[in-house]
Amino acid sequence: MTTDTTGTAARDDESRPGGPADSAFVRACRRRPVPHTPVWFMRQAGRSLPEYREIRASVAMLESCRRPDLVTEITLQPVRRHNVDAAILFSDIVVPVAAAGVDLDIVPGTGPVVAEPVRTAADVERIRLIGRDDVDYVDEAVRLLVKELGDRPLIGFAGAPFTLASYLVEGGPSRTHAKTKALMHGEPELWHALAGRLAEVTLAFLRVQIEAGVSAVQLFDSWAGALSEADYRRFVLPHSTKVLTGLADAGVPRIHFGVGTAELLGAMGEAGADVVGVDWRTPLDVATRRIGPERAVQGNLDPTLLLAPWPVVETEVRRILEQGRAAPGHVFNLGHGVLPETDPEVLTRVVALVHELSARPVDRG
Ligand code: CP3
């Protein structure tokens, strides 16, 4: 085995029965029979866990993302607690953008804040293309985690061009994405240059994670639901497609996620992912009709309902599993991330319930 093929070689080895590539999670992504419906939670690592808050009390967010020892520990915390079917790398969507030279910080209670928002072609030019050396701490963290996780798959991720561009153009979180939309329509060439550059950064960042051994990747286009389908198709779809189809030969399933995307599910399904994430607004059987039989779905419990009494949660989990049967593959998840005020014990109970209700004997052929 030569050094530069270690990632691929490791993955070949993992396709052995029972390895991460044969896990319920990866099998569901690939629309293959599963022993039970796999479940994980977006933002499962984070502020709902006291052990996470303890670590983060003395370390800033971006710094914690750059320390492989902390990334490893934080990524494993929800796995130990909840018995989820997959781990998700602890990082943030702005980590590769910071590595590309953009001056930004993650402000507690606010989110990413960019010192000098992107306004001109020169601003776009300053966003450097990145390679493994720029994010060596991510490469190292993934390798450590793959060893620690054994047969449990690790999900890598990145932000999609639109969601990243929104932070860069607005300078921080935005309810309306007004400046971003004004740029798209007012200076379409500049918009496409920015989104194209971000697609290249994202692709490079995901490739580093895949070469280091992640078993799947998720592209977060959290704010895509702010767009009409026409604008999504014209300004965003080509760039997200470049990222997702650019990984077609990488050998790992690709998940494409957004919030408020009921009207975009068909278009998002065309971008080249194996799995489309669905928020709580669209039942999974309806979503499946919109996305088509060629993709699995992921979702879609409303994260706020985890704060309701347990019988409410249980009824919702049953309904979602039932509606998920209409899809050619179903990964159970929330419709968006875990809220910080969520009782972690409820998450643990949801995992056990999903496993119990969906357990089935399976022909693994
Ligand atoms: O288990 C996991 O999913 C953890 C890994 C993770 C984080 N951010 C850690 C984080 C992931 C997958 C993300 C992705 C991310 N970051 C997205 C896409 C997912 C989504 O929720 O839509 C977006 C839009 C961001 C940008 C961002 N970073 C926001 C909106 C925030 C929250 C700001 C706040 O404090 O309310 C962050 C910070 C962040 N990223 C935290 C965590 C755990 C909170 C930081 C803290 O603990 O203070």
Side-chain angles (χ1 to χ4, degrees):
M1 199 191 296
T2 61
T3 0
D4 68 350
T5 56
T6 41
T8 322
R11 197 152 21 254
D12 287 343
D13 184 41
E14 283 160 10
S15 24
R16 73 184 189 280
D22 188 41
S23 60
F25 166 71
V26 170
R27 291 177 67 91
C29 291
R30 296 199 184 285
R31 295 173 285 133
R32 302 189 63 194
V34 286
H36 61 263
T37 301
V39 47
W40 69 280
F41 304 110
M42 290 180 278
R43 299 288 181 100
Q44 64 192 17
R47 288 171 296 180
S48 65
L49 301 185
E51 58 270 36
Y52 168 80
R53 291 196 295 265
E54 201 183 311
I55 291 184
R56 283 291 324 290
S58 58
V59 193
M61 178 63 195
L62 275 176
E63 191 195 334
S64 66
C65 295
R66 292 175 181 141
R67 284 191 40 191
D69 57 331
L70 295 186
V71 170
T72 304
E73 169 57 22
I74 296 171
T75 301
L76 292 174
Q77 286 176 345
V79 176
R80 289 190 202 112
R81 240 188 205 263
H82 304 312
N83 191 29
V84 279
D85 290 272
I88 178 158
L89 179 71
F90 181 78
S91 186
D92 194 82
I93 59 167
V94 296
V95 164
V97 181
V102 176
D103 183 1
L104 59 83
D105 198 8
I106 298 179
V107 177
T110 301
V113 174
V114 176
E116 292 173 49
V118 170
R119 294 280 175 270
T120 64
D123 295 338
V124 174
E125 284 302 312
R126 276 196 290 276
I127 304 172
R128 293 194 311 262
L129 298 182
I130 60 167
R132 184 163 69 176
D133 291 349
D134 300 295
V135 285
D136 51 354
Y137 42 86
V138 171
D139 172 80
E140 190 184 333
V142 170
R143 287 175 198 273
L144 286 169
L145 277 162
V146 167
K147 270 192 219 126
E148 290 285 329
L149 284 161
D151 291 338
R152 207 176 309 239
L154 175 65
I155 303 169
F157 75 92
F162 173 73
T163 292
L164 289 177
S166 171
Y167 284 110
L168 295 189
V169 174
E170 307 288 338
S174 165
R175 202 170 45 79
T176 59
H177 307 276
K179 294 190 183 88
T180 314
K181 292 184 188 184
L183 178 77
M184 275 178 177
H185 285 274
E187 296 180 80
E189 275 184 26
L190 179 57
W191 165 260
H192 284 296
L194 172 60
R197 178 61 61 101
L198 292 171
E200 287 180 86
V201 170
T202 291
L203 190 52
F205 187 55
L206 290 173
R207 280 202 178 281
V208 169
Q209 297 174 51
I210 292 169
E211 274 164 30
V214 298
S215 294
V217 291
Q218 176 155 324
L219 188 65
F220 280 96
D221 209 352
S222 302
W223 314 138
L227 298 170
S228 68
E229 184 184 351
D231 283 359
Y232 179 83
R233 284 188 179 277
R234 181 173 162 207
F235 295 113
V236 176
L237 182 57
H239 303 289
S240 293
T241 301
K242 186 160 119 183
V243 176
L244 290 165
T245 59
L247 299 173
D249 61 355
V252 301
R254 298 149 293 171
I255 307 169
H256 192 188
F257 169 79
V259 182
T261 55
E263 298 302 321
L264 305 180
L265 288 171
M268 286 180 75
E270 292 168 28
D274 304 276
V275 185
V276 177
V278 181
D279 80 4
W280 61 93
R281 296 172 179 89
T282 313
L284 292 180
D285 49 348
V286 175
T288 297
R289 286 200 290 279
R290 293 182 186 173
I291 297 161
E294 301 300 312
R295 330 252 163 228
V297 295
Q298 176 174 276
N300 66 347
L301 180 62
D302 184 337
T304 65
L305 294 187
L306 294 173
L307 310 181
W310 175 253
V312 175
V313 178
E314 180 167 349
T315 304
E316 283 296 288
V317 170
R318 286 180 187 274
R319 175 183 65 76
I320 289 162
L321 284 172
E322 194 52 46
Q323 290 170 336
R325 286 159 169 269
H330 177 207
V331 176
F332 194 101
N333 205 314
L334 306 181
H336 199 180
V338 174
L339 297 170
E341 59 268 43
T342 307
D343 176 354
E345 284 182 22
V346 176
L347 293 171
T348 309
R349 279 183 88 176
V350 169
V351 174
L353 182 64
V354 170
H355 286 167
E356 179 198 320
L357 293 175
S358 65
R360 48 194 171 263
V362 68
D363 169 8
R364 299 175 72 84

